[in-house]
C-alpha cells in the first residue's frame, strides 16, 4: 500500500528525516541545495558505513563564489561517499530531495541546515507512490550523468525548468473559495497576474511573505512591486511573527496543496532545478489548513506604504532609492533626520 505524509518544521525537527536514513538498507540518494547539519551528516556517513550505497548531489558554488557545501562535501569524500556537484546546466540546483531504497521519496522546502530544522517554517512531503518515486530517481540519474531530463506533460511531480509555472498557475486558476500562500518571493509576473485574477473572481487570499528588506538589492524592484500590486487589489499580505518563513506552500479550498522548493520568481521557473509535489490527501490538507490558519493568526500585515517600506529598508541596510522612495516631512521629523 502506498501513502504520503506531511512533515512540518520546526515542529517535528529532523527526526523523521533521520529515522528514514537510519532505516535505509540498500540505497540512499540525496540532492540538496545546502547541506550543513552535523546530525544529518553523521547519519548519512553511518548509512554508508553499514553498507548502504549512498550518493549525494550538492549545489555547486554560486556565481558569487560562495559555497555553502564546501565542508560537508569534504567530509563526505573523506568517508568514501560518492558526491557530485549539481548539474552545471542550471544556474542553481535548489531542489531538496531524498530517496530511500528506491521506495520512499522526500520532497522538501527545507535545506539540510540546522536553522531550517529549528528556526524556520518549512515543509516536506514523503511519498511511496511509485510514479513519484520513479520521477525523483530519474531526475537524479539525469542530473548525475549531466543528461537532459524531460518529465513531459504527464509528469506527476512539478519540475523546474519544465512544468513548474504552468502547474502552479493552473493550481491558482482552479481555486474557488480560499487560497493560502506561503513563499519567500513573489516576483513572477504570470503568477502575480493569476493571484490578482483569483482575488478579482472572489477567492479569499491569505498571502505570507518575507519582509522587503530580506530581498537582495537587485531584486527589490520586482519583489516589492509584486507585493504592492497584490496589496492594491485587496490581497492580504502578512509576515510571520515568531518564525522565519522559508517554506513554499499553496493550499486551495482546504482540499489540495503544493509543497516544494519553488520560489515564485522567474529564476526559479526558468533557470533552476526545482521540485514540488501536489497532494490531495485528506489528512495532509487538513493538517496544512490548521498550520496555515495558526500561522496567519500569529502574523501581522506587511506595511507596504511608501513610509513603511522606507523605514523597513533603511533600517536594514538601504535600498529605498531603488523604489524612488523619499521621506516626507512628518516621517523626517519622527525619525529625527
Amino acid at each position: 500500500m502506498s501513502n504520503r505524509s506531511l512533515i512540518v518544521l520546526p515542529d517535528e525537527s529532523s527526526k523523521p528525516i533521520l529515522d528514514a536514513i537510519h532505516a535505509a538498507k540498500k540505497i540512499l540518494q540525496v540532492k540538496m541545495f545546502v547541506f550543513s547539519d552535523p546530525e544529518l551528516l553523521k547519519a548519512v556517513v553511518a548509512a554508508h558505513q553499514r553498507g548502504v550505497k549512498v550518493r549525494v548531489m550538492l549545489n555547486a558554488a554560486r556565481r558569487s563564489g560562495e559555497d555553502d557545501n564546501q565542508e560537508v562535501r569534504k567530509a563526505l569524500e573523506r568517508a568514501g561517499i560518492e558526491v557530485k556537484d549539481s548539474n552545471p546546466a542550471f544556474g542553481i540546483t535548489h531542489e531538496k530531495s531524498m530517496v530511500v531504497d528506491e521506495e520512499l521519496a522526500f520532497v522538501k522546502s527545507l535545506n539540510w541546515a540546522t536553522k531550517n530544522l529549528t528556526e524556520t517554517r518549512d515543509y516536506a512531503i514523503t511519498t511511496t507512490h511509485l510514479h513519484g518515486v520513479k520521477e525523483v530517481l530519474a531526475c537524479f540519474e539525469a542530473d548525475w550523468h549531466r543528461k537532459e531530463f524531460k518529465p513531459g506533460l504527464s509528469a506527476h511531480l512539478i519540475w523546474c525548468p519544465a512544468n513548474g509555472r504552468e502547474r502552479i498557475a493552473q493550481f491558482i486558476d482552479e481555486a474557488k473559495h480560499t487560497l493560502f500562500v506561503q513563499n519567500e518571493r513573489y516576483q513572477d509576473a504570470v503568477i502575480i497576474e493569476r493571484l490578482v485574477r483569483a482575488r478579482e473572481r472572489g477567492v479569499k487570499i491569505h498571502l505570507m511573505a518575507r519582509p522587503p528588506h530580506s530581498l537582495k538589492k537587485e531584486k527589490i524592484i520586482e519583489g516589492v512591486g509584486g507585493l504592492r500590486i497584490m496589496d492594491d487589489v485587496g490581497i492580504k499580505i502578512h509576515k510571520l511573527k515568531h518564525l522565519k518563513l522559508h517554506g513554499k506552500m499553496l493550499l486551495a479550498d482546504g482540499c489540495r496543496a503544493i509543497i516544494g522548493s519553488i520560489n515564485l520568481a522567474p529564476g526559479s521557473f526558468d533557470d533552476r532545478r526545482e521540485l514540488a509535489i501536489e497532494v490531495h490527501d485528506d489528512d495532509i490538507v487538513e493538517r496544512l489548513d490548521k498550520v496555515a490558519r495558526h500561522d496567519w493568526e500569529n502574523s501581522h500585515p506587511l506595511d507596504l506604504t511608501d513610509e513603511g517600506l522606507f523605514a523597513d529598508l533603511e533600517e536594514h541596510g538601504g535600498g529605498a532609492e531603488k523604489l524612488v522612495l523619499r521621506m516626507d516631512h512628518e516621517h523626517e521629523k519622527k525619525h529625527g533626520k
Side-chain angles (χ1 to χ4, degrees), residues 3 11 16 47 63 65 77 125 165 179 181 204 209 233 243 250 252 287:
N3 56 39
D11 305 37
R63 293 190 180 101
E77 289 172 344
I125 294 289
R165 183 183 280 112
L179 189 60
V181 187
K204 187 175 182 180
V233 300
L243 291 171
L250 298 94
R287 186 174 176 211

Side-chain angles (χ1 to χ4, degrees), residues 6 33 68 70 89 96 121 133 148 164 180 192 203 216-217 249 260-261 264 284 286 331:
L6 170 69
F33 177 57
D68 301 288
Q70 184 175 5
K96 306 102 163 37
R121 171 63 76 223
V133 174
E148 192 172 7
F180 283 90
I192 291 167
V203 177
K216 294 179 180 178
K217 286 192 176 181
M249 185 273 286
S261 66
L264 303 179
I284 291 177
E286 183 178 340
H331 188 89

